[in-house]
Amino acid sequence: MSATFLFPDSKDFSPDFKEIARYLGYRRAAPPEADVSTLMEKAASEMQAVMKAQAVFEIYDLSVVECRDSGVSKPPYEPTSEVVSIRPSDYSTTVTLRFADVTLRSRDLGRNLEGCSKVALLAATIGPQVDALIRRHSSLDPVYASILQATGAMYIEELVDLVNSEIKKIAAAQGLKTKPRYSPGYGDVPLQVQKDFFRLLPCTRIGLTLMDTLIMAPEKSVTAFVGLS
């Protein structure tokens, strides 16, 4: 399938204050103080007024081949045309994952995509206006800036959940289910995989840039795999 774009209206987002509190380090048994709660409400309203939610995803056929690997003969991310059989030992089980023109060898992502025949690649952002808002308060009011950071984390997760819902609808129409999403930079999946996301997906059309450090701009942005099984 071709890339699917989502441009949800920020007015349709519902702030989750429990999630903001969790990002701030509060436990459920010890909710934020009244003054912090007031700042959370202010941050949610102020950010919702400026953020620009955008996302894109595409679904690819996936080939998963299990192999045994010591983890030292080859790096986790190396294009290869064949799976090398290694004598069984106390080695970790890795898999070779193939989609589009990418070959990725990973133990952790392999577990996540076990049993999947397709994989969705998604990219999402809530826009540079959010970064500017946080920067504006960083030197003037660090406490409020930290609340804005937590609020941005909540909103980008809400956007990615929305993308997930769209992928689930497509999966359900094909009699498939989705796995939990998995992002580059976690486990043994290197950030270099970001380059494949930006090569395969039209990320620039949603305002995303990949810097030389492999970090995305705007900051409140996410890329992720979602398996379909």
Side-chain angles (χ1 to χ4, degrees):
M1 63 174 292
S2 58
T4 299
F5 291 88
L6 297 176
F7 301 101
D9 192 326
S10 63
K11 295 177 183 177
D12 295 333
F13 282 69
S14 299
D16 187 335
F17 295 106
K18 289 182 179 179
E19 275 296 284
I20 297 174
R22 184 176 69 84
Y23 283 118
L24 288 170
Y26 287 92
R27 298 191 300 270
R28 289 187 180 274
E33 301 81 0
D35 56 342
V36 175
S37 294
T38 299
L39 289 175
M40 287 165 52
E41 292 174 6
K42 177 185 176 184
S45 177
E46 192 172 1
M47 188 169 291
Q48 193 166 10
V50 301
M51 73 182 195
K52 188 176 181 181
Q54 303 180 82
V56 62
F57 69 88
E58 188 161 355
I59 299 173
Y60 300 91
D61 290 330
L62 174 68
S63 171
V64 181
V65 182
E66 184 176 302
C67 61
R68 305 285 286 183
D69 186 27
S70 64
V72 295
S73 61
K74 290 185 178 182
Y77 179 57
E78 176 183 341
T80 179
S81 59
E82 62 181 18
V83 177
V84 179
S85 297
I86 301 175
R87 183 167 53 86
S89 180
D90 291 328
Y91 296 165
S92 299
T93 299
T94 64
V95 297
T96 296
L97 306 162
R98 294 192 178 98
F99 55 90
D101 59 354
V102 177
T103 298
L104 172 63
R105 300 173 69 251
S106 168
R107 178 187 66 252
D108 299 325
L109 185 59
R111 287 199 201 103
N112 178 272
L113 297 179
E114 184 178 1
C116 293
S117 58
K118 298 177 184 291
V119 63
L121 272 64
L122 70 85
T125 182
I126 54 174
Q129 300 87 348
V130 169
D131 289 0
L133 177 64
I134 295 171
R135 281 196 304 270
R136 192 158 64 244
H137 290 279
S138 291
S139 58
L140 299 175
D141 191 345
V143 172
Y144 186 55
S146 67
I147 293 173
L148 285 167
Q149 284 281 5
T151 303
M154 177 274 297
Y155 275 132
I156 185 62
E157 283 299 305
E158 186 173 348
L159 173 58
V160 176
D161 286 344
L162 178 61
V163 181
N164 257 348
S165 295
E166 293 301 312
I167 296 171
K168 283 183 178 180
K169 291 177 185 176
I170 294 172
Q174 300 176 19
L176 301 173
K177 296 181 179 180
T178 58
K179 296 289 189 79
R181 63 180 180 266
Y182 197 101
S183 290
Y186 288 92
D188 64 357
V189 181
L191 275 177
Q192 283 91 334
V193 177
Q194 296 278 49
K195 293 180 179 179
D196 290 314
F197 277 80
F198 275 73
R199 184 171 54 80
L200 294 172
L201 296 177
C203 294
T204 56
R205 289 180 59 184
I206 62 169
L208 274 178
T209 300
L210 185 65
M211 296 183 285
D212 292 340
T213 57
L214 302 177
I215 301 300
M216 291 183 291
E219 180 184 344
K220 298 305 181 189
S221 304
V222 168
T223 56
F225 298 96
V226 178
L228 285 71
S229 63

